[in-house]
Amino acid sequence: MKALVLREIGGRLALETVPDPAPTPSEVVLKVHANAPDQLDVTISTGRIPGAKLPLIPGHEIAGEIVALGAGVTGWKVGDRVTVYTYLTCGACRYCIAGRETLCRNLKGYVGVQSDGGCAEYTAVPARNLVRIPDNVGWVDASTIPNAIATPLRAIKGRAGVKAGDDVVIVGACGGIGIHGVQIAKQCGARVIAVDIDDARLAEAKTLGADLVVNGAKEDFSQAVRDFTGGKGAEAVMEFVAMEATMGRSYASLATGGILVFVGAQPGNAFAPDPVSLVMQEFTVTGSRHVNRAELAEAADWLGQGRVKPIVSGTWTLAEGQKALDAVAQNRVLGRAPILPWSRTRRAHRGAAPSTLSAMRGGEGGERSEPG
Ligand SMILES: [Zn+2]
């Protein structure tokens, strides 16, 4: 089969012919129809992810069709359309049992990092990691499920507990995850304040439901939040950026009793809330680490039900894999731009200026040391 292979840290992805994968008893083989590269793939190629296998076929945001089943696989059949849960968990520790699978104490790594992933015509993945794609969702759109939709859905609905009537700030609203987060917060019944630094993309966030857009490069967004909420502040602030320029303002945007959720995080960017304010106003500051499998299935449902519009700015052929990665690294992708291993033509790409907050932090989706 044809696959994109990374042979050395800092190297480029090369299109190679490699042996077709065969399933172990607990795996299935997928025909990969779409795989969306994200910042994690860029980070792997630059070597900032410890323990990546080499040579590696990257790719962890996969939409594909089962073409072969391992001897021990039950519950799935050839032809089933699926996406793939990225974390290679043990399934037995107390965190796995509790559904907090990203906190697995025996984590074996990630699809597309410690095992070969979706930048190929076929890939073998654990059957336990499969989640069904709704029948009415096409392959290209399905590539937004595993991260671009699932990650903000869990963070906003699950971790922040956003409900109707809340004011919610999305910091980094125009990155691949934030642009879906705007829609999800709106669907939860919130008033949504979208913060980024690119006016053209902020205009798109407005069409997707943002009630207020704020260019954080031109004004202090915490003040804009105060003004918009009559001095109250926001019940939830979602930090998809986590830069020094944003974290203090995110905290300052909170309403009394509000919650600040970090989804993006960057090593070295420290943030220390004042304990007096934590006590006196009972703020919550927490993080959200990707999703569990149930939340991945919920994200697929949301897309199938039309509750969130998948934002896809173009597609790539397999031969263009390195270009696809470069586009992510340079923040030229709005939403997702998947590689289609079986396509011979690319779909035109909507231009996106590499000038957002997301670009300042090194690419949309956040600087990631892990999936999600
Ligand atoms: Zn576990």
Side-chain angles (χ1 to χ4, degrees), residues 102-353:
T102 58
L103 305 183
C104 174
R105 292 299 86 189
N106 309 302
L107 190 67
K108 293 184 281 289
Y110 315 103
V111 173
V113 183
Q114 274 76 20
S115 69
D116 285 334
C119 289
E121 291 176 326
Y122 298 97
T123 189
V125 296
R128 207 161 67 82
N129 287 46
L130 300 179
V131 165
R132 209 172 293 279
I133 295 171
D135 291 340
N136 63 334
V137 174
W139 296 119
V140 170
D141 290 347
S143 71
T144 64
I145 295 170
N147 195 1
I149 293 175
T151 295
L153 178 60
R154 192 276 172 126
I156 291 165
K157 186 166 163 280
R159 294 295 278 169
V162 167
K163 60 189 186 308
D166 285 352
D167 286 307
V168 177
V169 183
I170 309 287
V171 182
C174 301
I177 294 176
I179 199 79
H180 293 93
V182 167
Q183 302 179 60
I184 289 161
K186 193 71 194 170
Q187 277 285 319
C188 289
R191 283 202 306 179
V192 180
I193 300 152
V195 178
D196 214 301
I197 65 170
D198 181 289
D199 286 331
R201 288 194 187 188
L202 282 167
E204 179 135 2
K206 185 124 198 173
T207 69
L208 291 168
D211 295 278
L212 176 72
V213 297
V214 182
N215 186 324
K218 295 180 181 170
E219 59 180 312
D220 177 346
F221 69 81
S222 66
Q223 189 57 53
V225 171
R226 294 272 159 215
D227 293 344
F228 186 70
T229 58
K232 168 178 69 73
E235 279 74 21
V237 178
M238 312 306 300
E239 253 286 8
F240 294 102
V241 175
M243 287 173 47
E244 281 166 12
T246 64
M247 292 186 286
R249 286 175 174 175
S250 290
Y251 191 65
S253 299
L254 286 172
T256 296
I259 181 168
L260 169 57
V261 181
F262 284 90
V263 184
Q266 298 195 63
N269 278 4
F271 170 70
D274 167 23
V276 173
S277 63
L278 283 173
V279 170
M280 298 306 288
Q281 303 208 55
E282 293 201 339
F283 294 136
T284 301
V285 178
T286 188
S288 186
R289 185 174 178 180
H290 196 43
V291 301
N292 63 25
R293 286 176 296 164
E295 290 159 340
L296 179 58
E298 186 182 359
D301 288 345
W302 271 54
L303 185 53
Q305 294 159 7
R307 300 176 78 183
V308 57
K309 177 186 171 191
I311 306 301
V312 176
S313 62
T315 68
W316 303 94
T317 66
L318 196 58
E320 295 172 313
Q322 183 61 51
K323 278 189 193 171
L325 221 55
D326 292 344
V328 171
Q330 295 158 12
N331 197 36
R332 288 187 280 109
V333 174
L334 182 63
R336 285 291 181 267
I339 294 166
L340 310 184
W342 296 91
S343 172
R344 295 290 167 261
T345 54
R346 65 190 286 207
R347 194 205 285 180
H349 288 245
R350 284 197 283 160

Side-chain angles (χ1 to χ4, degrees), residues 89-97 100-101 103-107:
T89 60
C90 77
C93 73
R94 67 173 61 190
Y95 291 97
C96 282
I97 290 167
R100 303 186 74 177
E101 294 167 84
L103 305 183
C104 174
R105 292 299 86 189
N106 309 302
L107 190 67

